[in-house]
Amino acid sequence: MMNLAINDHRLTGPGPQNAALRDYDSVRRAIAFISEHWRAQPTIEAMADAAAVTPDELHHLFRRWAGLTPKAFMQALTLDHAKGLLRDSASVLDAALDSGLSGPGRLHDLFVTHEAMSPGEWKAGGAGMTLHYGFHPSPFGTAIVIASGRGLAGLAFADPGEEPAALADMQRRWPRANYVEDRAGTSALAQRIFDTKLWRADQPLRVVLIGTDFEVRVWETLLKIPMGRAVCYSDIAARIKSPTASRAVGAAVGKNPLSFVVPCHRALGKSGALTGYHWGITRKQAMIGWEAGQVGMN
């Protein structure tokens, strides 16, 4: 059953998210090359060769996938850009609290309404819960969407061939839950998450956070970071009134079960370093570059 879902022809059929998934395969090759050679400011020709496309195809690829030229995308991955995202990191969270999650300055954001499961429900390891899952195309590779009756409960990503391992990783988080493959039932959630035309404040995405009280507080703080900005772990720690817990905050960020929706990719080291990412540093770079296009980086 799992393999049928992974290899389902609908993952590679027509449609904007299927097209984005196909583009991402070339994008991730280009990002890997840029990450290794960005100090030398590689040429478009060299980037295209790494992505196995022509320079003209690379230009159209990045324009289509991220709304940026390859050069602008490469700039979005530099340390200087990361430091710019971090500018006034602490005040970003203060401003988000003042304006609310859906304030007027959040025009590019995926609007979310959330609730947390009780500590008892989390400790039960998902016992008594039925979680529906499906594999869907996305701009960041194949997405694994996991839904409960109360809303989106999990979102993970996988590169080709890694889908079973990524699903197993998510299932280990709630080992006693009952898992039902339901691609049709999770399809609308996937579309709501990745189709920016559906990002509407009046129709927020329902999310349920399943973790410890500390983890949930960290994830709720991540939800306040606007697209096109970033914060450092120490400012998150200060925001949840645990100023000495930067390392614990980092661990909680790493355990975030809702990649992209709860934007843990917007948490950076104080120096601007991207640090680790549970779904791969290349994917974190892809999300940051893609978001630069969404907010209109020139």
Side-chain angles (χ1 to χ4, degrees), residues 116-128:
M117 286 201 164
S118 70
E121 288 175 307
W122 174 79
K123 288 179 182 177

Side-chain angles (χ1 to χ4, degrees), residues 108-164:
H108 301 279
D109 275 357
L110 171 59
F111 297 93
V112 171
T113 180
H114 71 281
E115 65 173 294
M117 286 201 164
S118 70
E121 288 175 307
W122 174 79
K123 288 179 182 177
M129 291 175 57
T130 295
L131 296 176
H132 294 248
Y133 72 90
F135 294 89
H136 300 274
S138 88
F140 311 109
T142 297
I144 302 165
V145 176
I146 300 176
S148 76
R150 292 153 69 172
L152 180 71
L155 180 64
F157 295 97
D159 290 328
E162 296 178 355
E163 295 91 345

